[in-house]
Amino acid sequence: MFYNKVEICGVNTSELALLDDDEKKGLLDRIKAGDEGARRDLICGNLRLVLSIIKRFSARKENADDLFQVGCLGLVKAVDNFNTELDVKFSTYAVPMIIGEIRRYLRDNTALRISRSIRDLAYRALKAREEIQANRDCEPTIDELASILDVKKEALSEAMEAVIEPISIYEPVYSDGGDSLYVIDQLADVSSVDDSWLENIALRDALGTLCERERSIITMRYYRNKTQTEIASELGISQAQVSRLEKAALAKMKKCMV
């Protein structure tokens, strides 16, 4: 697989620097003071992060050099837009930025043809979402984005869904000691579950009973079709924590709607 390569884009991966949290914080403070050298050091010190992220796209058989370069663009954006006043680690903020940049690249190069107007709307929404996340460290709802862009929520939802990159249910999303976790392992068996309650008029009230983190997880999981692993990456918590919070939130909503 390509991530075993020693050299990518002329970079010897075995010689990449590895920064600890204190070093990153020190560099971020210097960047805030206008130190361009610190900016370069922080970018170089996080290239291993880019390398680790492009591993998850190995099943796509894309050119490793191309993905690495695109991932580095996401890293640069993360460095330039990170708010040091927020109580969040740089890597927690950078990971979704890098993944988002790679996904945009893959969407632009997909064989699936989407109308220009739908694609433009989706990209405007993605840009607005990134700006909001950078300013307040939380993901906006689809209603907020629709209001900001002055479009109907239904049209925005369709546009966002249209540019979601399809993946195989047998694509590995995590590997530990040879034991891999695949997409299919994260799909719940809903054969015995009555989903009609999701359409109930009381759904909005039930969502209102959840805390902000629970509401974010439910929104990302069931309205944006994100996997637990993707949500965990965005929130900076483990996949097991996402699973527990999701189950607790669903139980709370069902109890409210009984």
Side-chain angles (χ1 to χ4, degrees):
M1 301 172 77
F2 64 72
Y3 55 81
N4 288 325
K5 289 176 61 176
V6 174
E7 188 172 293
I8 290 183
C9 296
V11 177
N12 188 334
T13 58
S14 65
E15 297 178 354
L16 292 177
L18 186 61
L19 303 174
D20 59 32
D21 290 339
D22 290 337
E23 289 174 319
K24 291 177 184 177
K25 184 178 185 304
L27 290 172
L28 286 166
D29 290 337
R30 288 167 53 192
I31 292 172
K32 190 175 181 180
D35 189 335
E36 279 295 321
R39 177 178 179 271
R40 182 180 60 254
D41 290 343
L42 184 60
I43 292 172
C44 292
N46 281 277
L47 293 180
R48 281 184 181 271
L49 179 62
V50 177
L51 188 62
S52 67
I53 289 173
I54 67 174
K55 293 179 184 179
R56 67 185 300 173
F57 297 95
S58 60
R60 294 293 304 269
K61 307 301 181 184
E62 296 286 338
N63 183 279
D65 289 355
D66 291 343
L67 292 186
F68 186 72
Q69 291 183 64
V70 174
C72 287
L73 289 177
L75 172 61
V76 171
K77 288 184 179 181
V79 170
D80 291 341
N81 292 285
F82 183 70
N83 186 350
T84 57
E85 296 178 0
L86 297 176
D87 185 21
V88 61
K89 290 184 177 181
F90 173 73
S91 57
T92 301
Y93 175 78
V95 166
M97 291 283 283
I98 296 170
I99 292 175
E101 198 69 29
I102 293 173
R103 283 182 175 159
R104 275 191 292 276
Y105 166 78
L106 294 175
R107 283 195 296 264
D108 287 341
N109 289 276
T110 182
L112 182 64
R113 296 303 174 188
I114 302 171
S115 73
R116 180 64 179 270
S117 60
I118 292 178
R119 184 185 294 274
D120 287 348
L121 175 57
Y123 287 174
R124 284 168 53 206
L126 290 171
K127 181 179 179 181
R129 185 174 69 182
E130 286 183 0
E131 291 175 350
I132 292 173
Q133 286 179 303
N135 291 328
R136 71 183 194 193
D137 191 34
C138 68
E139 187 166 339
T141 64
I142 195 73
D143 290 313
E144 288 179 293
L145 287 174
S147 177
I148 292 171
L149 299 174
D150 193 24
V151 297
K152 292 184 178 180
K153 181 176 71 173
E154 294 77 10
L156 180 57
S157 295
E158 291 177 0
M160 296 287 280
E161 291 174 359
V163 296
I164 293 176
E165 184 66 26
I167 61 174
S168 167
I169 60 174
Y170 296 105
E171 179 175 345
V173 294
Y174 178 76
S175 182
D176 183 15
D179 294 326
S180 297
L181 176 67
Y182 298 90
V183 172
I184 193 172
D185 296 325
Q186 294 185 293
L187 302 179
D189 180 5
V190 296
S191 58
S192 61
V193 177
D194 182 5
D195 289 331
S196 62
W197 64 275
L198 288 172
E199 304 298 328
N200 195 292
I201 195 171
L203 178 58
R204 180 174 298 177
D205 292 335
L207 283 170
T209 65
L210 305 179
C211 68
E212 184 176 349
R213 172 166 284 187
E214 291 173 332
R215 191 160 53 249
S216 295
I217 289 174
I218 294 299
T219 300
M220 288 188 281
R221 188 85 166 101
Y222 294 97
Y223 288 87
R224 300 191 179 106
N225 298 319
K226 293 190 176 183
T227 67
Q228 291 180 350
T229 302
E230 290 175 320
I231 296 171
S233 176
E234 291 196 26
L235 298 182
I237 59 179
S238 69
Q239 186 265 332
Q241 286 177 292
V242 171
S243 179
R244 287 195 295 270
L245 287 169
E246 179 186 338
K247 290 178 180 178
L250 290 175
K252 190 183 298 184
M253 291 174 66
K254 289 181 179 180
K255 183 177 180 180
C256 176
M257 297 175 70
V258 171

